[in-house]
C-alpha cells in the first residue's frame, strides 16, 4: 500500500507486521507515528525501538513480550538490513503473536511473506504540500501555495 492509504487502513485493521520502505525519512517517521496512534496506549512501557546493532534474540524477545498497559505491544526495528530480517526474523513474521505489532523500516523494498508493505518513498509535490500545510496549521501557521 502507499503511505497515503496507511492511516485509513489502520482505522479498519491493525496488521501484526509492517514493512515500511522508502527513501524519505519524514514519511517513514510519520508512518510510525500513525501506527503508534492506532495502537492506542502503546506508550513507553509497551513500545521498544531498535536501531543499529541488534540481535535476533533481542527482537524476538520484544515481539513475544506481553503488553503491560496497552492491548498490543509495539516493536520497531529501524533501518534494518533485508538479509538480517529474511534470515533471522522471517519465521516470526510468518507467524506473529496476536498481542504484538512489529514495524520494520528499510530504505529498500524486499520480499517478506507475512508483512504488510507500506511504500514510504518521497511524496509527490501536491501530497507533500498538503502534509506540510496540515502540519503547520496544527501549529497555527499559515503558508502560501507559492512558498
Amino acid at each position: 500500500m502507499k503511505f497515503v492509504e496507511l492511516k485509513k487502513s489502520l482505522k479498519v485493521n491493525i496488521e501484526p507486521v509492517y514493512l515500511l520502505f522508502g527513501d524519505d525519512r519524514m514519511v517513514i517517521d510519520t508512518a510510525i507515528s500513525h501506527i503508534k496512534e492506532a495502537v492506542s496506549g502503546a506508550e513507553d512501557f509497551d513500545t521498544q525501538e531498535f536501531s543499529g546493532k541488534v540481535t535476533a534474540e533481542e527482537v524476538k524477545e520484544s515481539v513475544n513480550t506481553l503488553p503491560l498497559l496497552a492491548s498490543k505491544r509495539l516493536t520497531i526495528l529501524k533501518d534494518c538490513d533485508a538479509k538480517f530480517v529474511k534470515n533471522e526474523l522471517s519465521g516470526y513474521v510468518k507467524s506473529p503473536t496476536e498481542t504484538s505489532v512489529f514495524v520494520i523500516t528499510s530504505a529498500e523494498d524486499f520480499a517478506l511473506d507475512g508483512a504488510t508493505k507500506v511504500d514510504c518513498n518521497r511524496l509527490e509535490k501536491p501530497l507533500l504540500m498538503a502534509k506540510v500545510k496540515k502540519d503547520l496549521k496544527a501549529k497555527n501557521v499559515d503558508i502560501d501555495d507559492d512558498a
Side-chain angles (χ1 to χ4, degrees), residues 43-80:
E43 297 300 325
D44 293 337
F45 294 118
D46 293 309
T47 300
Q48 186 162 11
E49 291 189 22
F50 296 99
S51 60
K53 291 279 184 187
V54 63
T55 66
E57 289 74 28
E58 290 172 310
V59 175
K60 288 176 186 177
E61 182 179 333
S62 179
V63 295
N64 288 309
T65 299
L66 292 173
L68 185 61
L69 299 174
S71 60
K72 293 186 182 281
R73 178 170 177 79
L74 180 61
T75 301
I76 303 165
L77 177 59
K78 290 186 171 182
D79 305 319
C80 73

Side-chain angles (χ1 to χ4, degrees), residues 81-93:
D81 176 60
K83 192 174 184 178
F84 171 74
V85 174
K86 287 180 179 181
N87 291 342
E88 304 292 333
L89 302 172
S90 63
Y92 174 83
V93 172

